């Protein structure tokens, strides 16, 4: 028997969908800023052999070299990113949703089993509740990455005013590297997340939009027999 059950609260869905366009704009504007000082490369004896983003990359994506525009978008939408993440974490704590999100001591082992199941190497997946072990690890990691982006971003944005954050990150240049690595992490997370959504099917995607999912349940008997009556 098919039953409609609530899965995702409204605030969790809103923060999820708001985060996608905000992060997309942040990454895009970050690329505009980075191109103004494209420093990451393999350079030996003053000769650059490989750049992290070659010239064809910028031309293919039609990324203009406009630093001021990138900074304007980046510094505006960073506040939406911070506020959205703040409401998400705050609601998770107050509502108790964090219990479904945080990994437990079995999650990392089970996450590997989930991966093997998704790759069709293992036939059965480990039991799961609202989120499976891989989702718990991934969603918790993305929250930690968000905190890291805020800290490293502020260290880069105001290295003098937030000198203590720059010190925690290992200095301005290391903070920039961490910020860059976290951005690459978001891109990989997006790609894997979209693939997982496609594999999970329409029912899972519908739950993220409407908050409800359709599940199969065994119908309960209308009258439950008593064990003493059965013995008699």
């Amino acid at each position: 028997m098919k039953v409609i059950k609530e899965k995702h609260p409204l605030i969790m869905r809103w923060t999820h969908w708001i985060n996608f366009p905000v992060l997309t704009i942040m990454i895009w504007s970050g690329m505009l800023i980075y191109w103004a000082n494209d420093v990451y490369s393999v350079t030996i004896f003053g000769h650059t052999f490989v750049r992290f983003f070659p010239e064809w990359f910028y031309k293919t994506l039609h990324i203009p070299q406009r630093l001021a525009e990138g900074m304007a978008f980046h510094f505006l939408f960073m506040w939406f990113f911070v506020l959205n993440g703040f409401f998400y974490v705050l609601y998770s704590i107050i509502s108790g949703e964090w219990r479904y999100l945080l990994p437990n001591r079995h999650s990392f082992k089970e996450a590997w089993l989930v991966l093997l199941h998704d790759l069709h190497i293992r036939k059965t997946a480990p039991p799961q509740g609202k989120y499976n072990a891989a989702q718990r690890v991934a969603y918790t990691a993305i929250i930690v990455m968000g905190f890291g982006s805020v800290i490293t971003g502020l260290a880069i944005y105001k290295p003098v005013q937030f000198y203590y954050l720059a010190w925690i990150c290992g200095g301005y240049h290391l903070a920039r590297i961490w910020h860059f690595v976290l951005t690459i992490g978001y891109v990989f997370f997006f790609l894997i997340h979209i693939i997982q959504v496609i594999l999970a099917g329409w029912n899972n995607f519908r739950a993220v939009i409407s908050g409800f999912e359709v599940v199969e349940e065994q119908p309960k008997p209308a009258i439950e027999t008593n064990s003493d009556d059965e013995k008699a």
Side-chain angles (χ1 to χ4, degrees):
M1 181 176 65
K2 291 185 178 181
V3 179
I4 299 176
K5 283 191 173 183
E6 185 178 3
K7 186 174 184 180
H8 301 295
L10 179 62
I11 295 181
M12 300 292 282
R13 285 181 281 127
W14 268 93
T15 52
H16 172 271
W17 288 111
I18 289 173
N19 212 37
F20 181 77
V22 169
L23 259 179
T24 302
I25 295 173
M26 291 290 289
I27 292 172
W28 179 261
S29 58
M31 289 302 304
L32 299 181
I33 297 171
Y34 177 76
W35 197 17
N37 186 20
D38 189 354
V39 295
Y40 300 140
S41 61
V42 177
T43 303
I44 302 175
F45 299 116
H47 180 74
T48 301
F49 291 92
V50 179
R51 286 195 174 276
F52 193 90
F53 291 116
E55 190 72 19
W56 62 263
F57 176 84
Y58 298 106
K59 290 181 178 179
T60 302
L61 295 181
H62 303 289
I63 300 176
Q65 194 170 1
R66 294 199 291 268
L67 175 62
E69 180 183 353
M71 293 177 67
F73 275 99
H74 209 70
F75 297 150
L76 171 63
F77 280 88
M78 73 177 185
W79 297 112
F80 293 102
F81 176 76
V82 171
L83 290 174
N84 191 56
F86 173 77
F87 286 126
Y88 178 84
V89 173
L90 183 64
Y91 177 79
S92 299
I93 295 172
I94 294 175
S95 65
E97 284 286 321
W98 63 270
R99 296 187 182 91
Y100 305 108
L101 289 168
L102 279 182
N104 54 40
R105 58 194 180 94
H106 303 293
S107 294
F108 291 94
K109 178 182 177 181
E110 292 179 355
W112 175 250
L113 300 178
V114 172
L115 176 61
L116 293 178
H117 177 263
D118 290 342
L119 294 174
H120 301 285
I121 298 174
R122 193 172 187 270
K123 291 185 178 180
T124 58
Q128 72 174 64
K130 189 171 184 177
Y131 303 103
N132 62 43
Q135 289 173 323
R136 282 172 172 258
V137 173
Y139 296 159
T140 302
I142 207 72
I143 294 173
V144 175
M145 289 169 62
F147 278 112
S149 293
V150 173
I151 293 172
T152 55
L154 290 174
I156 299 169
Y157 178 45
K158 298 287 186 180
V160 177
Q161 291 86 340
F162 296 109
Y163 64 91
Y164 48 91
L165 293 181
W167 178 80
I168 291 173
C169 296
Y172 174 84
H173 294 291
L174 197 56
R176 191 183 183 204
I177 292 174
W178 284 120
H179 199 71
F180 186 80
V181 170
L182 287 168
T183 303
I184 299 301
Y186 290 129
V187 174
F188 279 112
F189 177 84
F190 276 157
L191 294 175
I192 295 172
H193 188 57
I194 291 172
I195 293 172
Q196 289 292 336
V197 168
I198 295 172
L199 293 175
W202 168 248
N203 191 40
N204 182 71
F205 182 72
R206 178 174 50 193
V208 183
I209 297 176
S210 65
F212 297 90
E213 66 174 346
V214 180
V215 296
E216 289 283 350
E217 280 193 354
Q218 293 294 332
K220 296 181 179 180
I223 301 176
E224 294 184 1
T225 58
N226 189 296
S227 59
D228 294 334
D229 295 336
E230 290 179 353
K231 292 179 181 178

